[in-house]
Amino acid sequence: MPYLFLRRPHSDWPQAKRAGWIVKLFDSHWFALAVSVGILILLYVGISQGDWNYFWEQWRTVRFIHVMTLDFVLLSLLFPVLLKDDMKRRGISAGWVFWAVSLVPLFGTMTYLITRPKLNTKT
């Protein structure tokens, strides 16, 4: 969360030319696909085996669960701030892409991560 408030927006990223293996890994479509499959599995388990009444009880009584849930919601609402920079960095200027990804919380983000063009990381 502090990162979002202390960061400077930058649409041009000159360091991409000499990006290390970790940037290349996180930029990979295979990595995005693996993360998306993991999210879908966790979502399925949560929906099929979860108990909303128990979650509500824990949310009201356990501070950790309360804070982590509020943090997740807040970061989901602040995601478009980072999305706009990433789209500029990758040369995506279509406004409809921004709104489609921003307004469909989890699935829009997963689709964007899988389909976005790669950074120019040639050395």
Side-chain angles (χ1 to χ4, degrees):
M1 191 76 76
Y3 169 75
L4 292 174
F5 295 110
L6 298 175
R7 66 184 284 281
R8 292 182 324 225
H10 45 60
S11 58
D12 186 29
W13 192 41
Q15 294 91 346
K17 300 282 189 238
R18 55 182 193 271
W21 67 271
I22 194 81
V23 172
K24 291 177 183 178
L25 173 71
F26 287 141
D27 193 45
S28 165
H29 293 288
W30 290 106
F31 183 77
L33 187 62
V35 168
S36 296
V37 167
I39 289 170
L40 290 174
I41 290 170
L42 289 173
L43 192 61
Y44 171 75
V45 170
I47 290 172
S48 67
Q49 298 175 11
D51 183 0
W52 281 105
N53 292 325
Y54 183 70
F55 172 76
W56 178 248
E57 172 77 23
Q58 294 297 311
W59 190 78
R60 290 184 311 150
T61 59
V62 179
R63 282 189 188 166
F64 180 74
I65 294 174
H66 187 89
V67 168
M68 293 306 291
T69 303
L70 293 177
D71 189 44
F72 174 75
V73 170
L74 187 59
L75 288 175
S76 296
L77 292 173
L78 291 174
F79 174 72
V81 172
L82 299 174
L83 176 64
K84 196 164 224 55
D85 270 359
D86 191 66
M87 288 177 62
K88 285 181 185 175
R89 201 175 289 133
R90 294 169 193 280
I92 303 171
S93 59
W96 68 269
V97 173
F98 174 79
W99 289 109
V101 172
S102 296
L103 295 177
V104 182
L106 189 60
F107 298 105
T109 303
M110 288 188 310
T111 304
Y112 175 75
L113 290 175
I114 293 170
T115 60
R116 68 185 179 174
K118 289 188 170 277
L119 285 171
N120 186 10
T121 57
K122 295 181 176 129
T123 54

